[in-house]
Amino acid sequence: MKHKKIWAVVLSTAMFLASMAGTMTAYADDLPFVDPFAEPTEPSEDEQLREYTEIFVSQMNDVRVKNGLAEVCIAPDLCKCSQIRAEELVVYLDHDRPDGRDCFTVLRENGMDFRHAAENISAGWRTVLKAFDGFMNSEKHYANMMMNPATHFGLGYVYRPDVRYSHFWQMFIIEKYDDMGRPFVFEGQYIPVRELGDVDGTKEIDAADAARIQEYSAATAAGISYPVSCMFPGAADVNKDGQIDAIDANIVLSYSAQRGIDPDATIEEFIW
């Protein structure tokens, strides 16, 4: 037996679904969020989509860890389901699929059972960070991203310049376990590695990374807890001396400033 309840909120519609298979939630924006000053995102080639997925989950995992929640892994099988849904959003921007079935049927028909699952969808955002911020600033979308417990994540994105809104974003977050009650291990699942200096996982090294390192250094020196992703230390200890401190922050800041003058500069040139 399935129950559906619909809430109407400003610029947003939220849908809750519950079934014997577990709790499932889905939240969508029914008006586009468009940043007129953002650079258009390139069409979703496989490598570009992988990068968007890694950026998104890195941001989300940072927030989850800050809130005392476990990080989630990118699961390629789940990303395939998300991409199917993103393609469907071009045709029908809703949690129901174009054929009238609910969004979670795409998981089941691809052999993916789950204990809990949530979907966020949006259209109009031109960059992955804008899409992430849009979800973060919506209470119900944010609640989905902070689903607890959760184990895996998938992102879908489609760019159709000839269609209204043009940019379509979809994410699944699920809770899935094996027969022994342990988090299920999908083939190829991973938490994205962050490059040296890129402590926030945006694929850019800038002043924000330096500030994050400095905050972490100051907090730990004062004995204050500063929870970070499992990928943070490897990216933050830039000079590899076993410490994360102001020296690392200064290296990142110097490199970031130089990149504005010399795009070919490498962070290794600033390690001392």
Side-chain angles (χ1 to χ4, degrees):
M1 184 175 182
K2 181 170 68 176
H3 303 279
K4 179 183 292 186
K5 187 175 182 180
I6 299 177
W7 294 267
V9 297
V10 178
L11 297 183
S12 179
T13 300
M15 177 178 68
F16 172 81
L17 296 169
S19 76
M20 294 300 291
T23 301
M24 303 176 290
T25 56
Y27 301 116
D29 296 313
D30 50 13
L31 290 181
F33 293 93
V34 178
D35 180 355
F37 302 105
E39 291 296 323
T41 306
E42 293 296 322
S44 55
E45 301 285 340
D46 288 346
E47 285 300 315
Q48 188 68 78
L49 180 56
R50 179 186 174 96
E51 180 173 293
Y52 293 160
T53 305
E54 293 181 350
I55 291 172
F56 194 108
V57 80
S58 291
Q59 311 311 297
M60 188 177 73
N61 274 340
D62 279 350
V63 181
R64 288 182 62 86
V65 169
K66 185 177 180 180
N67 284 278
L69 306 177
E71 296 183 71
V72 296
C73 295
I74 294 171
D77 288 349
L78 190 55
C79 289
K80 291 176 183 177
C81 294
S82 284
Q83 190 61 19
I84 291 171
R85 284 289 298 132
E87 295 281 355
E88 291 176 347
L89 296 179
V90 178
V91 179
Y92 187 52
L93 186 57
D94 194 272
H95 288 297
D96 286 336
R97 303 177 70 183
D99 63 6
R101 295 179 298 160
D102 73 65
C103 57
F104 303 104
T105 57
V106 71
L107 301 177
R108 300 189 193 94
E109 69 189 20
N110 282 278
M112 193 170 300
D113 59 331
F114 51 88
R115 183 176 297 180
H116 297 92
E119 172 184 75
N120 283 348
I121 64 175
S122 190
W125 293 116
R126 298 186 180 192
T127 70
V128 64
L129 288 175
K130 290 293 184 182
F132 174 78
D133 288 343
F135 289 147
M136 280 288 292
N137 291 321
S138 166
E139 181 179 355
K140 297 184 186 300
H141 295 85
Y142 175 83
N144 270 350
M145 293 192 291
M146 298 301 110
M147 187 176 81
N148 184 40
T151 56
H152 299 90
F153 172 85
L155 183 76
Y157 167 71
V158 172
Y159 174 59
R160 294 288 185 272
D162 56 337
V163 176
R164 187 184 182 191
Y165 306 149
S166 299
H167 304 265
F168 299 85
W169 302 92
Q170 191 276 358
M171 58 151 281
F172 275 130
I173 185 169
I174 69 170
E175 178 190 1
K176 180 175 172 62
Y177 298 93
D178 63 20
D179 293 338
M180 301 296 291
R182 298 167 300 195
F184 189 85
V185 178
F186 285 98
E187 182 177 356
Q189 73 174 45
Y190 69 104
I191 294 177
V193 174
R194 303 183 190 187
E195 297 299 323
L196 201 64
D198 179 22
V199 299
D200 57 10
T202 62
K203 308 293 185 179
E204 296 287 343
I205 301 173
D206 52 28
D209 294 299
R212 184 85 180 279
I213 294 172
Q214 188 62 49
E215 288 174 5
Y216 176 86
S217 174
T220 53
I224 300 171
S225 176
Y226 193 102
V228 294
S229 164
C230 64
M231 294 301 173
F232 177 90
D237 183 13
V238 182
N239 62 0
K240 299 302 177 186
D241 65 353
Q243 301 181 67
I244 298 172
D245 52 28
I247 295 175
D248 298 299
N250 286 332
I251 292 171
V252 170
L253 196 58
S254 298
Y255 167 69
S256 174
Q258 183 62 26
R259 278 295 301 272
I261 303 171
D262 178 13
D264 296 324
T266 65
I267 195 168
E268 287 77 10
E269 297 170 13
F270 294 83
I271 297 175
W272 50 278

